[in-house]
Amino acid sequence: MTIEPERIRILNEAEPNPKGRYVLYLLQQANRAGFNPALEFTIEEANRLGVPVVACFGLLDGSNGFPEANARHYAFLLEGLADAAGNLAKRGVGFVLRKASPAEIAADLSREAALVVLDRGYLAIQKHWYGEIAARARVRVVQIEGDVVVPLETASGKHEHAARTLRPKIRRHLEAFLQPLRPTPVKHRADALDLGETIDVSEPGAVLAGMVLDRSVSPVKRFRGGESEARRRLSAFVADGLARYGAERGRPEADAASHMSPYLHFGQISPVEIALAVRAADTGTVEDRDAYVEEIVVRRELAMNHVHYTEGYDRFETAVPEWARRTLAEQAGDRRDTVYSEDELAEGRTHDHEWNVAMAEMRETGFMHNHLRMYWGKKILEWSPTPEEGFARTLRLNNRYFLDGRDANSFTNVAWVYGLHDRPWAHRPIFGTVRYQSRNSLRKIDVKAYERAVRALCEAERA
Ligand SMILES: Cc1cc2nc3c(=O)[nH]c(=O)nc-3n(C[C@H](O)[C@H](O)[C@H](O)COP(=O)(O)OP(=O)(O)OC[C@H]3O[C@@H](n4cnc5c(N)ncnc54)[C@H](O)[C@@H]3O)c2cc1C
């Protein structure tokens, strides 16, 4: 077995069905055909049982849509599914796409399956689906945890205080889980199987046009979805950006970041594949490579640890630590010279020119550099009538415009703005002892160069 046992969990009591026509894999978190432990596990099981592999995806739309997802997110998702479907077909794996919830399509196709395999995400809605599938399927349901480097419970059995407490726990297991994954050839192709109703996703634009969804946020040209595009970008980053990552990743205009976050969010690339490529790179120094692995493993998996162990990770009262809520409450009566409405923020109509430019990048192109995201979030806290309202609107804007929004990273980093995973700092109005960020924090950025780059990106979107 090529999959580490810690990545494998059996979710129900049912046995595999020896009469099943195929082994079913529900793509939900890991939407890719390459470097996907859940898919490789499925192929190994199907080969052993002497049956083909069928992958399926449940597309939610209309009133049943994925929470907060809009045309921008769906366009990227569908481009990714088109790529995955093509790659699955080349490997001899069947693919069924239907307008249904993940639980519905999996439960339906499980009736003729020998075994059902799931991948794993950590948001409440994903856990809800996994629970429903485990309860409804009359056949064994196995879950494979392939979108983190170190399986979540292996790293830690509790909510971690900060990166410094999770880091040693991750490091202890890093080498064991940073392993290549060899593709297993499919022994029994699915080409001849009749799988019933399915949507042809080879023209993702046509599928998008037929969906009922929020079209007020447009798809972007800056990022094209799919595992091939994710790999192309990774290679470009390793060849060019990585050598500047250690020294220049704090400067948005330096283009030293990898832009992997939309692809990671939609499961179009594996974090293990990325970390292995960065470690094997002959560009950059050890410091560049270590700095990158720190972000993609420790910081990213800290976010998953937070949402997994925090009920109500999307609410101020439950996501923000007690010390931070107390100090913010103590400052609640402080005079706020500048308060903006959510519309003024979304439209970038504040007095702060740099903030407005960053907001334009986010609104028009679906992305913003990490350094500016921190400044962006801290200013919304400063310019909102209450911390509770600031938290809620930061999360709404984050999840509406970012392609990588609605992720464990989104909920965790918005809560970071309000003190999560941080410590008390010097006392100030409005913030109390929650970390403040002044315009001075932008001093190392070449603001003019950043503004030129954003203007060019926005023009390209409108062209
Ligand atoms: C207010 C705020 C909101 C944010 N919202 C999101 C969000 O909605 N979705 C999202 O994926 N990230 C979010 N982040 C984290 C971070 O800004 C992005 O992950 C990063 O900018 C993505 O760009 P990149 O892939 O080029 O990053 P790189 O610098 O190339 O890093 C590589 C990968 O490491 C991980 N990473 C980097 N920085 C962080 C971080 N601070 N925390 C956790 N993981 C990190 C990401 O998976 C990223 O793709 C937010 C940060 C802040 C401060």
Side-chain angles (χ1 to χ4, degrees):
M1 181 67 60
T2 53
I3 310 299
E4 301 92 341
E6 294 87 342
R7 296 197 189 276
I8 306 172
R9 297 195 309 165
I10 297 175
L11 297 191
N12 61 0
E13 311 257 289
E15 294 296 324
N17 174 9
K19 297 202 182 112
R21 285 204 297 147
Y22 45 77
V23 176
L24 181 70
Y25 167 38
L26 173 76
L27 283 105
Q28 199 283 307
Q29 173 62 47
N31 299 316
R32 58 182 184 271
F35 216 120
N36 181 343
L39 177 64
E40 298 310 328
F41 177 87
T42 311
I43 294 172
E44 286 179 17
E45 288 297 300
N47 286 351
R48 202 171 53 76
L49 294 164
V51 292
V53 173
V54 173
C56 67
F57 188 91
L59 192 59
L60 295 154
D61 82 342
S63 56
N64 199 19
F66 195 101
E68 301 186 272
N70 53 48
R72 175 169 297 175
H73 305 119
Y74 272 107
F76 192 85
L77 167 79
L78 289 165
E79 285 164 0
L81 287 177
D83 198 16
N87 291 334
L88 288 167
K90 278 185 215 147
R91 293 188 69 179
V93 173
F95 181 62
V96 182
L97 174 66
R98 289 184 196 157
K99 286 188 184 173
S101 85
E104 278 160 4
I105 191 169
D108 188 30
L109 290 169
S110 73
R111 282 198 280 270
E112 293 192 273
L115 179 75
V116 175
V117 180
L118 310 179
D119 44 37
R120 188 176 184 195
Y122 308 93
L123 299 184
I125 190 166
Q126 297 176 298
K127 291 180 181 176
H128 171 78
W129 288 326
Y130 307 147
E132 200 181 326
I133 295 165
R136 284 172 66 178
R138 301 261 159 84
V139 65
R140 177 169 293 172
V141 178
V142 184
Q143 183 169 52
I144 308 297
E145 187 173 8
D147 277 26
V148 285
V149 174
V150 180
L152 192 136
E153 287 95 349
T154 305
S156 172
K158 65 178 178 70
H159 186 264
E160 289 295 332
H161 200 65
R164 81 185 137 72
T165 64
L166 182 62
R167 189 174 298 114
K169 298 180 181 179
I170 292 265
R171 295 227 171 259
R172 206 172 296 149
H173 299 285
L174 199 55
E175 303 311 318
F177 291 103
L178 268 184
Q179 297 296 333
L181 183 65
R182 266 194 307 277
T184 304
V186 166
K187 284 195 186 147
H188 306 275
R189 295 183 64 92
D191 310 305
L193 276 185
D194 177 8
L195 297 166
E197 170 210 342
T198 183
I199 298 169
D200 176 5
V201 73
S202 58
E203 294 290 341
V207 180
L208 186 71
M211 292 183 69
V212 179
L213 44 76
D214 171 8
R215 294 187 193 275
S216 62
V217 183
S218 307
V220 292
K221 295 180 189 153
R222 182 177 180 185
F223 295 95
R224 197 174 73 244
E227 54 191 302
S228 320
E229 177 63 10
R231 284 205 188 94
R232 189 196 64 75
R233 278 183 177 267
L234 173 61
S235 304
F237 169 70
V238 168
D240 179 31
L242 181 59
R244 289 176 283 120
Y245 194 76
E248 297 186 17
R249 72 179 188 283
R251 291 183 31 224
E253 78 287 3
D255 201 23
S258 68
H259 300 98
M260 283 291 106
S261 56
Y263 300 92
L264 284 164
H265 170 68
F266 285 92
Q268 294 171 0
I269 193 161
S270 148
V272 181
E273 179 176 0
I274 300 176
L276 284 173
V278 164
R279 278 191 148 191
D282 53 11
T283 51
T285 59
V286 174
E287 287 74 34
D288 291 314
R289 295 192 280 272
D290 284 354
Y292 191 85
V293 171
E294 161 77 12
E295 297 299 334
I296 200 165
V297 187
V298 178
R299 296 280 163 181
R300 181 169 178 271
E301 294 180 15
L302 181 65
M304 274 126 179
N305 171 281
H306 172 64
V307 301
H308 181 67
Y309 290 116
T310 307
E311 210 172 309
Y313 55 74
D314 55 350
R315 293 197 309 276
F316 179 84
E317 299 73 27
T318 31
V320 174
E322 207 269 331
W323 71 265
R325 276 183 285 127
R326 191 164 7 97
T327 187
L328 289 166
E330 281 162 10
Q331 309 305 131
D334 288 358
R335 196 183 133 88
R336 284 156 165 78
D337 291 330
T338 317
V339 174
Y340 292 111
S341 69
E342 194 164 332
D343 283 348
E344 286 171 320
L345 293 172
E347 289 158 21
R349 286 191 282 121
T350 79
H351 66 282
D352 183 330
H353 182 66
E354 285 77 30
W355 192 94
N356 295 345
V357 173
M359 186 67 226
E361 182 185 9
M362 171 187 197
R363 191 183 55 243
E364 308 295 325
T365 80
F367 189 83
M368 192 196 291
H369 187 277
N370 181 55
H371 198 75
L372 285 167
R373 291 192 200 207
M374 295 194 272
Y375 181 72
W376 172 83
K378 291 287 183 185
K379 290 295 149 190
I380 301 180
L381 162 53
E382 193 177 330
W383 300 334
S384 292
T386 63
E388 290 83 350
E389 175 58 20
F391 180 94
R393 47 168 69 163
T394 308
L395 203 47
R396 278 194 294 268
L397 292 170
N398 190 99
N399 288 353
R400 185 169 164 75
Y401 293 112
F402 282 142
L403 262 181
D404 59 25
R406 306 166 305 123
D407 192 269
N409 250 342
S410 320
F411 298 102
T412 304
N413 276 287
V414 169
W416 171 85
V417 170
Y418 291 77
L420 176 70
H421 296 151
D422 208 356
R423 62 172 173 84
W425 291 75
H427 187 276
R428 336 188 4 115
I430 302 175
F431 285 73
T433 55
V434 167
R435 184 199 294 248
Y436 171 72
Q437 212 166 327
S438 72
R439 285 175 65 86
N440 205 23
S441 65
L442 306 182
R443 71 188 181 284
K444 288 193 188 143
I445 299 176
D446 179 346
V447 172
K448 288 266 173 303
Y450 173 61
E451 196 176 343
R452 275 196 303 279
V454 170
R455 202 176 310 125
L457 286 167
C458 293
E459 276 164 16
E461 291 296 335
R462 285 183 226 116

